[in-house]
Amino acid sequence: MHYSILKKTRIIVALLFFSLTLFSFIDMYEFMPEAWTSNIIFIQFAPSVLRFIQVLSLSAGGFIVVILLSFLLGRVYCSTICPLGILQDMFTFVARKRNKKKVFLKFKKAYPYVRYVLLSIAIASFIAGSSLLINLLDPYSNAGRIFTYLVKPVFVWINNVVAGILQEQKIYSFHIIELFQTSWAITSYVLLFLLSIAYLSYKRGRLFCNLICPVGTLLGLISKNALIKVRLSTDSCTKCGKCASACKSECIDLKNQVIDYSRCVACYNCLPVCKDNAIRYSLPSKNNTSKINLIKGEKKMDRRGALTTLLAITASTTILAQHGRGHEHGKGHQHGKGKGGFGHRPPYKLSKREHPVTPPGTKSTERFNSLCTACGLCISACPTNVLQPAIMEYGLIGFMQPHMNYAHAGFCNFDCTRCSDICPTGAILPLPIEEKQLTQLGKAVFVKRNCVVHRDGTDCGACSEHCPTKAVTMVPYRDGLVIPEVNQDLCIGCGACEHPCPVDYPHKAIYVEGNTIHQMAQKPKEEKGQYKPLEEDFPF
């Protein structure tokens, strides 16, 4: 068999998956339809499992395909589909090109206790209701955050430079795109993770996949008994070391002439370098005298690891507690007297929500926190940038999960359902536009003390003008002024009132207090004669 062709085919497929996944995150002009994005993400393991739990349908059964592939061909998911795995291969490729030593990699012992303990804790914590460990360890979600918070800003900057140059020449094929800057804490965390992955893969190949990644550990258990896999023939092997040097998983032990199949990622790097035909990719055969067992002691460890995983799952009855955050109160800034004789004004009142606002389709904060892997796909796709990664808005349990940031970012577009259309885990369920427009994410709260109408005797009304459901209206106040009034039964918590409020955060005169469980708002009544014909508005 021409193993070099097999290896090149694997590389082409891997680059195709990587490119499509990357483009789904950096698609600034929304060229890729939501259906395409869903199909690309369909086969990502952890998101597929979480979505399947929600919908119980084969339409979300991408992980089943991965498991079947693992039984048949080994860990091809890790070598051709996982974006973080492919990213590591890129760093390893650079390291190999820069390396001047004859032997680049060599066999290293496994750390099964570490692998199985991390897998057990991740599964147990998820069953207990927390997805935090999955958020931190899932390879797809980590790759998504790299694409969203590090790669996309670079592409947006390049786009804006090109758009600016073209627009000076009266060419408008590109337009300037505003990208909200994520907090330094999130950017620093993602950058640190990327540097760590780059270092590990540069020095040790797929060490992250075979030591830390729970998906890799689980698929490694399945792949040990794969039907077609790399097999080492002890009769033909001369122990030249070429295969071990090419193995990015460091799993070929030439001293004992065995392969640790729980760590083999089916990259096929070892196959074309063997000139003695001692390594083959084949079905089991009577003539094959390879030692296909694991390293001495590993089989025993597998039984212990499986038992540890089972016990951790069944015994898990606790969950990380999310401590309530008390409503903060503090003194605001003092300002001079406003016009109109309004006299001395009291200090501003803190307008800080006690509960964060989750995206439409999440149903409840608890459900959302237990399912979202913080991959950043919805944040990257949000047209108004209102979705931003949380730091401590949900507590530690929801680190990096998206929340609605009305004060600093934007507001939820009344006619947009993009985040729910592309969410790969089912944490944000698809909503028909009619239902989305009545889903109450939170309720607007008016703080009269902070309003410029009350404090400065100045006309405003920005909140009322932007409210799509007319939950905020202007009512007579004093001295011919009007002041906002909120009908919370009509409010859907979209933030269109909070975002344009001219008072600086955290002293907004109107803000949205999140609903921990989403409700349905009343449908606004349309007044007769509310809309005039176009000809009457513009008689000329």
Side-chain angles (χ1 to χ4, degrees):
M1 181 177 182
H2 296 290
Y3 290 127
S4 59
I5 297 177
L6 179 63
K7 176 185 173 182
K8 290 177 181 178
T9 302
R10 194 271 305 169
I11 293 174
I12 292 172
V13 174
L15 291 176
L16 178 63
F17 267 107
F18 183 83
S19 301
L20 291 174
T21 305
L22 173 62
F23 187 72
S24 66
F25 280 88
I26 65 172
D27 183 14
M28 296 172 286
Y29 290 97
E30 299 183 12
F31 290 134
M32 184 178 291
E34 287 86 352
W36 286 30
T37 302
S38 299
N39 290 334
I40 293 167
I41 308 301
F42 167 78
I43 206 168
Q44 296 298 335
F45 191 83
S48 176
V49 171
L50 295 176
R51 191 171 188 86
F52 183 81
I53 292 173
Q54 293 301 302
V55 301
L56 295 177
S57 170
L58 290 179
S59 62
F63 74 99
I64 299 177
V65 177
V66 174
I67 291 175
L68 292 176
L69 284 174
S70 300
F71 273 122
L72 180 63
L73 303 173
R75 287 172 60 181
V76 291
Y77 170 84
C78 300
S79 60
T80 60
I81 300 173
C82 175
L84 188 66
I86 301 168
L87 184 63
Q88 292 175 76
D89 288 347
M90 294 178 180
F91 290 121
T92 304
F93 175 80
V94 174
R96 190 180 295 275
K97 290 296 183 181
R98 291 173 55 88
N99 183 66
K100 297 180 180 180
K101 298 179 182 178
K102 186 175 182 180
V103 177
F104 178 61
L105 295 168
K106 58 183 179 179
F107 173 78
K108 298 290 195 308
K109 69 176 183 177
Y111 299 93
Y113 281 106
V114 176
R115 299 167 64 193
Y116 292 127
V117 166
L118 286 175
L119 174 63
S120 302
I121 294 175
I123 297 176
S125 64
F126 171 71
I127 292 177
S130 170
S131 63
L132 178 61
L133 276 177
I134 296 178
N135 296 357
L136 299 177
L137 301 179
D138 174 44
Y140 161 77
S141 300
N142 276 297
R145 290 190 284 270
I146 292 171
F147 297 156
T148 300
Y149 305 129
L150 300 180
V151 179
K152 185 176 181 179
V154 174
F155 276 85
V156 171
W157 179 81
I158 294 174
N159 171 84
N160 291 346
V161 171
V162 173
I165 295 173
L166 292 179
Q167 287 178 10
E168 290 179 358
Q169 306 301 319
K170 308 300 181 182
I171 300 174
Y172 301 98
S173 302
F174 295 85
H175 61 264
I176 304 294
I177 295 176
E178 180 181 359
L179 181 68
F180 180 80
Q181 296 298 318
T182 308
S183 69
W184 66 267
I186 298 295
T187 302
S188 299
Y189 173 85
V190 177
L191 180 60
L192 180 62
F193 178 85
L194 176 62
L195 294 176
S196 300
I197 283 291
Y199 178 80
L200 289 177
S201 55
Y202 194 90
K203 294 292 186 180
R204 294 284 304 276
R206 288 296 192 100
L207 181 62
F208 174 85
C209 304
N210 290 323
L211 181 65
I212 300 173
C213 177
V215 176
T217 301
L218 181 60
L219 295 183
L221 288 171
I222 298 171
S223 299
K224 287 188 303 178
N225 299 313
L227 185 62
I228 305 174
K229 57 187 176 183
V230 176
R231 301 178 189 276
L232 177 62
S233 173
T234 57
D235 292 341
S236 305
C237 180
T238 60
K239 298 184 179 181
C240 66
K242 292 181 179 178
C243 58
S245 179
C247 177
K248 67 182 69 173
S249 295
E250 303 175 322
C251 65
I252 302 178
D253 181 8
L254 289 180
K255 181 179 179 180
N256 298 295
Q257 291 185 301
V258 294
I259 298 174
D260 183 356
Y261 290 111
S262 69
R263 290 190 288 162
C264 175
V265 296
C267 67
Y268 313 134
N269 285 2
C270 59
L271 296 172
V273 300
C274 181
K275 304 305 180 182
D276 301 312
N277 199 28
I279 286 197
R280 303 167 187 172
Y281 186 62
S282 63
L283 293 164
S285 162
K286 291 182 180 180
N287 297 327
N288 193 321
T289 59
S290 64
K291 297 181 181 180
I292 60 175
N293 293 327
L294 298 177
I295 307 168
K296 183 178 180 180
E298 179 70 10
K299 185 176 289 187
K300 184 177 179 181
M301 184 57 230
D302 287 336
R303 296 194 188 99
R304 292 179 180 175
L307 182 60
T308 301
T309 303
L310 180 62
L311 290 175
I313 294 172
T314 55
S316 177
T317 56
T318 58
I319 185 174
L320 294 174
Q322 178 182 6
H323 297 286
R325 298 178 298 279
H327 185 64
E328 297 183 22
H329 297 279
K331 295 183 179 181
H333 301 288
Q334 297 286 347
H335 294 275
K337 295 182 179 181
K339 62 182 180 180
F342 279 72
H344 178 74
R345 295 168 294 182
Y348 279 103
K349 179 181 179 181
L350 269 177
S351 303
K352 203 167 185 179
R353 52 185 134 257
E354 295 182 1
H355 303 290
V357 185
T358 59
T362 55
K363 292 189 175 181
S364 70
T365 304
E366 181 179 358
R367 177 189 173 278
F368 180 61
N369 291 154
S370 67
L371 291 174
C372 176
T373 62
C375 70
L377 183 59
C378 59
I379 294 175
S380 178
C382 181
T384 61
N385 294 322
V386 67
L387 284 177
Q388 293 297 314
I391 299 178
M392 290 300 292
E393 283 79 3
Y394 299 113
L396 181 61
I397 198 172
F399 180 57
M400 291 187 293
Q401 292 180 344
H403 73 108
M404 302 293 229
N405 188 343
Y406 300 132
H408 293 141
F411 59 92
C412 185
N413 194 318
F414 190 62
D415 298 318
C416 177
T417 59
R418 187 161 172 77
C419 62
S420 63
D421 291 337
I422 63 174
C423 177
T425 67
I428 309 176
L429 292 173
L431 288 178
I433 187 64
E434 298 81 7
E435 183 179 347
K436 186 262 182 181
Q437 292 175 348
L438 291 176
T439 300
Q440 189 180 73
L441 316 180
K443 298 177 181 179
V445 178
F446 177 57
V447 184
K448 181 179 177 181
R449 184 195 301 182
N450 298 348
C451 183
V452 295
V453 177
H454 171 74
R455 295 182 67 86
D456 301 328
T458 303
D459 285 320
C460 184
C463 53
S464 176
E465 291 175 6
H466 290 82
C467 179
T469 64
K470 300 304 177 186
V472 183
T473 56
M474 304 301 291
V475 296
Y477 183 49
R478 62 183 181 188
D479 296 341
L481 297 173
V482 289
I483 201 167
E485 182 180 72
V486 178
N487 182 351
Q488 292 188 338
D489 293 334
L490 298 178
C491 180
I492 60 173
C494 66
C497 58
E498 178 179 340
H499 180 63
C501 178
V503 184
D504 292 335
Y505 181 83
H507 305 112
K508 289 284 187 180
I510 192 166
Y511 69 97
V512 177
E513 178 59 49
N515 287 340
T516 55
I517 299 177
H518 289 183
Q519 303 171 15
M520 296 301 291
Q522 293 182 5
K523 191 173 183 179
K525 297 180 180 180
E526 292 186 7
E527 300 179 2
K528 294 183 179 180
Q530 183 178 2
Y531 302 103
K532 297 181 180 180
L534 184 63
E535 290 78 13
E536 294 185 16
D537 288 340
F538 302 97
F540 51 86

